[in-house]
């Protein structure tokens, strides 16, 4: 099963993605986590990516696609979290999956109001040491989402792949909605 979990920063994709991958016993591929590991390792890719991440900008498509491409087609499937974030990335994913004759089952969209997202991200900033969770970058990341990433939702809508869930409520409530959405789409 191949599922994209999609939504704005702070929508809860990471937490729910890990749980869903465990429940389905498939890989959880999160480009943000992969990039943070590269930054922590001080690799060339990490040093390059950090400049974009700290500003709240997207890391260039060629870097992201190069980093994740080889992992898109192996195994029994995967939960993609934080990828694709641009139309070019969505097209690269389609090409990789089409080339391997593997369909994308669905893109689950977590719907959460922008005001609620900002509150959540500021709370996360006080709990975790993430250098891109400052008030300034949070607003910029929201703008980047609306300009560059929201069009990916329309791309998947046109392909009839989107299942929308309400991303508000407790973690358990959201997880139950996510599980149901995935079961209905497979
Ligand atoms: P995340 O943990 O998914 O919120 O990602 C943190 C940061 O990593 C983002 O704000 C971007 O700077 C970068 N990033 C993660 N995934 C991608 C992606 N698919 N394309 C471009 N940049 C990304």
């Amino acid at each position: 099963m191949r599922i994209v979990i999609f939504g704005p920063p702070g929508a809860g994709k990471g937490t729910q993605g890990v749980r869903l991958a465990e429940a389905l016993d498939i890989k959880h591929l999160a480009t943000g986590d992969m990039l943070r590991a590269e930054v922590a390792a001080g690799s060339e890719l990490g040093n390059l990516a950090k400049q974009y991440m700290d500003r709240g900008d997207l890391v260039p498509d060629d870097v992201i696609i190069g980093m994740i491409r080889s992992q898109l087609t192996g195994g029994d499937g995967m939960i993609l979290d934080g990828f694709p974030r641009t139309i070019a990335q969505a097209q690269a994913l389609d090409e990789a999956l089409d080339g391997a004759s593997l369909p994308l089952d669905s893109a689950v969209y977590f719907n959460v109001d922008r005001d609620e997202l900002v509150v959540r991200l500021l709370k996360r900033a006080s709990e975790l040491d993430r250098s891109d969770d400052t008030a300034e970058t949070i607003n910029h990341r929201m703008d980047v989402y609306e300009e560059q990433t929201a069009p990916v939702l329309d791309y998947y809508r046109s392909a009839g792949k989107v299942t929308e869930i309400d991303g508000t409520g407790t973690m358990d409530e959201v997880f139950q909605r996510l599980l149901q959405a995935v079961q209905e789409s497979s």
Side-chain angles (χ1 to χ4, degrees), residues 55-74:
R55 289 197 301 264
D57 284 325
L58 295 185
V59 174
D61 286 331
D62 54 341
V63 175
I64 294 290
I65 294 165
M67 178 179 78
I68 198 171
R69 184 184 274 124
S70 68
Q71 302 194 51
L72 293 174
T73 48

Side-chain angles (χ1 to χ4, degrees), residues 10-100:
K13 304 184 298 289
T15 318
Q16 301 292 349
V18 170
R19 276 182 80 169
L20 183 63
E22 273 170 17
L24 301 177
D25 196 20
I26 54 180
K27 277 188 298 189
H28 174 235
L29 287 182
T31 42
D33 289 347
M34 293 163 82
L35 291 169
R36 280 184 289 278
E38 295 284 346
V39 171
S43 70
E44 200 177 322
L45 193 159
N47 293 339
L48 172 77
K50 189 175 189 316
Q51 299 165 35
Y52 295 91
M53 294 167 80
D54 282 350
R55 289 197 301 264
D57 284 325
L58 295 185
V59 174
D61 286 331
D62 54 341
V63 175
I64 294 290
I65 294 165
M67 178 179 78
I68 198 171
R69 184 184 274 124
S70 68
Q71 302 194 51
L72 293 174
T73 48
D76 297 333
M78 73 239 153
I79 307 297
L80 286 169
D81 164 5
F83 175 91
R85 257 176 160 102
T86 63
I87 296 284
Q89 292 179 19
Q91 287 169 338
L93 174 61
D94 275 352
E95 275 165 32
L97 293 181
D98 288 351

